[in-house]
Amino acid sequence: MTEKTRYSDEELEEFRQIINEKMALAKRDYDQMMKVLMNEDSNDVDDTSPTYKALEEGSVTQSKEELISMAARQQKFIQGLKAALVRIENKTYGIDRITGELIPKERLRAVPHATLSVQSKMNQKKVK
């Protein structure tokens, strides 16, 4: 038996569904973060409590920075998922970009935008 060089169309379709589900959740979370950052869902006490506002200012700045960082990571995750969908279209999805071998299904189910097997990723970290 020859070793598989790519996932079947049925398997790719399964991964597409997983990616689309994760994409919908990621976009929802990202949109929610952006609403908070833009104060669109503010039910704040800004005008009623100036003293409280002064005390909160520092933690608000820190949490906004954290939120911006989380939003950036979320955006990167969404881009990774979009790239994975392109690889599905090209039928190159699930192929380790270093070794050319198939990435195990378990890894792709957990990290659907992965382009490296765990082993390749570990080897890459050793090189750095």
Side-chain angles (χ1 to χ4, degrees):
M1 185 181 132
T2 60
E3 193 170 323
K4 262 172 75 165
T5 56
R6 78 168 190 90
Y7 284 110
S8 71
D9 291 351
E10 292 78 23
E11 291 166 319
L12 291 176
E13 195 51 45
E14 176 195 338
F15 289 125
R16 183 192 315 272
Q17 288 174 1
I18 291 170
I19 291 168
N20 283 331
E21 286 169 19
K22 288 197 185 270
M23 178 102 66
L25 290 173
K27 284 181 176 178
R28 185 200 66 198
D29 292 349
Y30 177 77
D31 290 344
Q32 195 59 42
M33 287 178 217
M34 294 312 289
K35 277 184 182 173
V36 171
L37 285 170
M38 303 299 182
N39 289 326
E40 286 178 15
D41 68 347
S42 182
N43 50 359
D44 221 341
V45 288
D46 278 356
D47 51 353
T48 57
S49 180
T51 321
Y52 174 75
K53 183 168 174 34
L55 292 172
E56 283 291 294
E57 203 70 34
S59 67
V60 166
T61 302
Q62 183 182 358
S63 61
K64 271 204 173 181
E65 286 172 3
E66 288 169 2
L67 203 54
I68 289 167
S69 176
M70 286 170 52
R73 277 196 306 272
Q74 198 69 357
Q75 199 168 30
K76 187 177 176 188
F77 178 57
I78 291 168
Q79 292 305 327
L81 292 173
K82 286 180 179 177
L85 288 174
V86 169
R87 290 192 302 278
I88 286 176
E89 287 302 312
N90 298 337
K91 301 189 187 312
T92 59
Y93 179 79
I95 299 170
D96 186 308
R97 64 183 161 87
I98 293 177
T99 65
E101 296 172 4
L102 284 184
I103 299 169
K105 280 186 180 184
E106 301 74 42
R107 172 153 171 79
L108 292 171
R109 286 187 183 113
V111 186
H113 58 293
T115 59
L116 296 172
S117 67
V118 173
Q119 189 60 50
S120 289
K121 190 154 183 83
M122 287 170 51
N123 291 343
Q124 193 179 44
K125 282 184 179 176
K126 286 179 192 171
V127 172
K128 285 184 178 177

